[in-house]
Amino acid sequence: MYDTKLPCAPKEHIIPRDPHHIPAGPRHVAIIMDGNGRWATQRGRPRLFGHHAGARRVREIVETCPDIGVEYLTIFAFSTENWKRTQVEVAGLMSLFRRYITRETRALDDYGVCVRFIGDRVRLDRKLRVLMDDLEALTANNTRVHLTIALNYGGRDEVARATKRLAEDVADGRLAPQDVDEETLPKYLDTYVLPDPDLVIRTSGEARISNFLLWQSAYAEYEFVDTLWPDFSREEFTRLCTAYGARDRRYGGVKA
Ligand code: FPP
């Protein structure tokens, strides 16, 4: 039988939307924050300068969410492939994440943001992991915005880790092979407490998804915009979410 004490608890505790008050905009927006390096290069500065500018953008976008009905925001901060960057850039990004958490904790909590991290934490340094755990614990009961930060995250890696845990449950007799279906696997993903994204935005003009939320975005709408992440504004975010409201999502069916 399925053990709810495992990290793969069912999705039932995602609070359903009030059916009498469903905004037209997306409930869950995921963002690939791309273009920090080019933004810095255009200014003759080192790439890390762009990452710092990018980190400063995050707060404005988080704070826009409640105004436009976005309940869940998921941002791609560091991928499993980003370790291939220079040692200087990787170390600089890790230091930035530690500083970001330390500096933003108060503001995030005061604003009512519930912060979660997805990705494989094993490769992250202990100090960063402790900061992540503490921020998650501190903000666990907040409900105004659910901010998920993907850190050392890769969609394929996530599915592989999930499959490993699922296989362990089968081997230990907690799950029967015939009960494995497309409702079961997502319970083992890092995102098991999140609804699937409705809208995925990528900045910087690249039109690819780079291993981000592969399973979860099966029916998402996509927006690829030319703006480099450090220039991405509240206005552009609002415009994209409003445009989403005008789209006709059929999930493979036909309109009644
Ligand atoms: C991609 O731009 C961006 C990253 C790999 C890092 C994203 C990190 C941040 C926006 C800042 C930190 C965020 C948090 C939540 C603390 P790129 O470097 O690939 O840009 P390029 O394509 O122009 O080179």
Side-chain angles (χ1 to χ4, degrees), residues 33-39 47 50-52 54-55 58 75-79 82 85 89 93 96-97 100-101 149 204 206 228-229:
M33 307 178 290
D34 196 13
N36 296 343
R38 275 163 285 168
W39 187 90
R47 294 176 55 81
H51 295 315
H52 281 268
V58 173
I75 55 176
F76 206 178
F78 192 87
S79 77
N82 285 152
R85 297 186 175 207
E89 186 169 348
L93 278 166
L96 166 61
F97 298 141
Y100 176 85
I101 295 173
I149 302 176
S204 93
E206 311 289 349
L228 303 178
W229 173 252

Side-chain angles (χ1 to χ4, degrees), residues 2-11 165-166 169 174 184-189 192:
Y2 181 65
D3 183 354
T4 51
K5 287 196 295 295
L6 288 170
C8 40
K11 280 202 181 211
R165 293 216 315 274
L166 187 152
D169 277 359
R174 285 191 291 263
T184 316
L185 186 76
K187 293 172 182 165
Y188 292 79
L189 296 174
Y192 66 95

